[in-house]
Amino acid sequence: MQEKELVRLSKEGNKEAFASLVKKYKTKVFNLAWSLTRDRETADDLAQEAFIKAYVALPKFQFKSEFGTWLYRITVNHTRDFLRKKSKMSKILVEKMKEMPLVQENEMTKKEKELISEQRRKFVRQCLQTIPEKYQVIISLRDIQGFSYEEITNILKISPGTVDSRLHRARKMLRKKLAPFFIQKGGNHEM
Amino acid sequence: MKCKKVERFLLRSFDELLKEEEKNELKKHLESCPLCQTKREEYQTILDALKEKDFPEPKPYFWERLQPKLKERKKYDPWSLWKQWALRAIPASMLLVILLATAIMLFIPPQKEKLSDSGDLLLRNLDPLQETTILLEEEKVEDKNMMLIFVAMEEKNSTGRYLP
């Protein structure tokens, strides 16, 4: 069955049609929440709540955008609300990050390199959680989830120019946060 | 090209948004600027670290866990209740108002227009000049004139019209 038909049936209260939509989008919705919270339990709860919000708001859905885009918007907004409430928590993380170098040593075994790479990944993501939430969201959508500029424009309801400038600012901000760890590499460069 | 402008180009290059000439300009600058080269490596490291190898899956029985929550929410959802009752009540109440308005217009008789004294007399098939005729029939000219003046004054007061 076509997605539009599933949405139409769900609007009329058909549970099976809505179950099909949940099946199709649950992973993406969960991943969106997870990329912003980095916690499986929390992301699962947020994904469930996003689907409940969507189900309740479905009668008002006018097919002006794709169902997926509309659902992602609900998820992002719901997760942003959660992040705003929990913003105090992320400040603690910065203290824990200081012993993790970003430099990659040349003389390392493959296993060690993988371990360092994994640590680096964790480290960068923890750092991501310390920047303002609107910048976290844009990096999460573009650099983690891989949404196109056009998709981000529709999800966040902002202009392509704003997507560009916000993403630019967010990446610069993240690099600035990580700057002390890059210096270890020996570069004496402008930040 | 200045390093600040290069940074913008650099970031846009990761999204493949640069035109051919901009790409060349960036490449040329990077070849001659070690600081911007380092910057590019740093951004690349960050972006690589952000890329996810394996995304985790949601917890099992996602739909089974969601279903009772949907039922619970649907029970107390104000929009559903509004849709169920109020949206039906709106056309019904509008119809009722229209019917009431029609009934009022049809069954309440229009208010009678207030007639003037002469109009009233004419309606009752009486002579409106009866009083004047009596005065005109007076024998004495002075009395007749005085009476006519008084009547004219009275009528002027009541109707605002001048009478000789």
Side-chain angles (χ1 to χ4, degrees):
Chain A
M1 203 184 287
Q2 290 252 317
E3 186 179 289
K4 228 174 183 178
E5 187 61 14
L6 287 173
V7 176
R8 196 187 59 76
L9 288 169
S10 302
K11 269 171 83 109
E12 288 167 6
N14 187 320
K15 282 260 170 68
E16 282 173 23
F18 192 69
S20 305
L21 290 171
V22 171
K23 197 181 172 188
K24 186 179 176 187
Y25 286 103
K26 67 176 181 186
T27 309
K28 193 77 181 170
V29 166
F30 168 82
N31 283 335
L32 254 178
W34 180 82
S35 64
L36 287 162
T37 58
R38 297 280 144 193
D39 182 75
R40 195 173 174 225
E41 195 78 30
T42 312
D44 195 84
D45 286 345
L46 289 170
Q48 292 245 327
E49 283 156 15
F51 275 112
I52 293 168
K53 278 193 168 184
Y55 187 68
V56 170
L58 251 179
K60 288 181 263 179
F61 180 64
Q62 302 282 308
F63 292 97
K64 282 178 186 168
S65 62
E66 291 285 319
F67 174 76
T69 309
W70 180 74
L71 182 63
Y72 298 149
R73 193 182 305 142
I74 290 175
T75 311
V76 168
N77 288 339
H78 187 58
T79 312
R80 281 173 87 161
D81 288 342
F82 171 82
L83 289 174
R84 263 180 226 130
K85 284 175 200 161
K86 297 275 171 184
S87 63
K88 284 175 192 167
M89 278 174 69
S90 58
K91 285 171 189 161
I92 308 159
L93 291 166
V94 190
E95 294 305 309
K96 291 181 184 175
M97 299 187 318
K98 292 187 175 165
E99 290 131 34
M100 295 182 196
L102 274 168
V103 282
Q104 188 151 343
E105 303 297 333
N106 290 327
E107 291 165 18
M108 272 182 181
T109 62
K110 201 184 168 188
K111 211 173 179 183
E112 280 173 330
K113 276 182 183 175
E114 271 175 16
L115 194 73
I116 289 285
S117 170
E118 193 47 47
Q119 274 188 329
R120 183 188 295 137
R121 193 168 286 132
K122 263 189 183 172
F123 178 45
V124 172
R125 275 170 202 159
Q126 281 177 336
C127 211
L128 177 66
Q129 286 182 290
T130 64
I131 65 172
E133 53 85 15
K134 72 171 179 178
Y135 298 114
Q136 284 182 48
V137 169
I138 200 111
I139 286 201
S140 173
L141 291 172
R142 177 70 195 137
D143 296 329
I144 302 175
Q145 299 291 325
F147 282 108
S148 70
Y149 270 49
E150 199 190 339
E151 285 171 318
I152 297 171
T153 298
N154 292 328
I155 292 170
L156 298 181
K157 279 195 166 176
I158 52 175
S159 69
T162 311
V163 173
D164 190 42
S165 59
R166 195 179 289 179
L167 187 62
H168 181 94
R169 218 166 292 151
R171 285 170 175 170
K172 271 178 92 170
M173 214 175 269
L174 190 57
R175 181 177 160 266
K176 205 174 174 183
K177 286 260 178 192
L178 293 162
F181 313 102
F182 282 123
I183 287 172
Q184 290 176 34
K185 202 177 175 181
N188 182 23
H189 55 270
E190 171 212 17
M191 283 297 157
Chain B
M1 191 161 48
K2 285 183 182 172
C3 293
K4 203 173 178 182
K5 194 182 173 187
V6 168
E7 192 170 5
R8 181 161 276 273
F9 274 24
L10 197 60
L11 287 167
R12 299 194 90 210
S13 74
F14 293 119
D15 300 316
E16 289 171 10
L17 292 171
L18 289 185
K19 291 171 191 164
E20 206 53 46
E21 54 196 88
E22 290 171 333
K23 270 185 201 170
N24 293 334
E25 217 176 325
L26 175 68
K27 197 180 166 189
K28 207 173 156 186
H29 180 90
L30 287 174
E31 278 167 3
S32 62
C33 181
L35 291 180
C36 287
Q37 271 179 37
T38 315
K39 216 180 263 183
R40 185 182 62 176
E41 281 167 30
E42 288 172 1
Y43 276 124
Q44 193 63 63
T45 310
I46 294 169
L47 294 180
D48 288 345
L50 286 171
K51 267 174 203 145
E52 203 58 57
K53 276 183 187 169
D54 305 299
F55 280 105
E57 282 287 315
K59 282 157 69 181
Y61 305 109
F62 191 88
W63 171 247
E64 287 74 10
R65 286 184 288 118
L66 182 64
Q67 227 173 344
K69 289 179 196 170
L70 290 177
K71 265 186 196 165
E72 192 69 22
R73 188 63 187 257
K74 194 79 182 172
K75 265 188 211 167
Y76 303 105
D77 174 34
W79 171 251
S80 307
L81 287 172
W82 169 255
K83 208 183 155 195
Q84 201 176 346
W85 299 107
L87 289 184
R88 285 176 201 165
I90 287 171
S93 54
M94 279 179 75
L95 192 70
L96 199 69
V97 168
I98 291 165
L99 282 172
L100 268 171
T102 318
I104 288 165
M105 283 169 74
L106 282 174
F107 295 111
I108 294 179
Q111 224 177 359
K112 275 183 184 173
E113 209 175 301
K114 207 176 178 184
L115 294 171
S116 64
D117 291 345
S118 50
D120 191 38
L121 287 167
L122 279 168
L123 198 70
R124 283 189 276 150
N125 212 14
L126 295 169
D127 182 9
L129 298 172
Q130 195 180 16
E131 201 182 345
T132 319
T133 318
I134 295 163
L135 288 173
L136 289 171
E137 280 167 5
E138 284 281 334
E139 283 176 2
K140 285 181 180 177
V141 182
E142 294 86 358
D143 289 349
K144 197 172 22 177
N145 284 345
M146 284 304 285
M147 293 294 274
L148 281 168
I149 287 165
F150 283 128
V151 169
M153 280 174 74
E154 269 176 30
E155 289 208 7
K156 192 185 174 188
N157 285 341
S158 62
T159 61
R161 197 174 53 180
Y162 174 74
L163 291 168

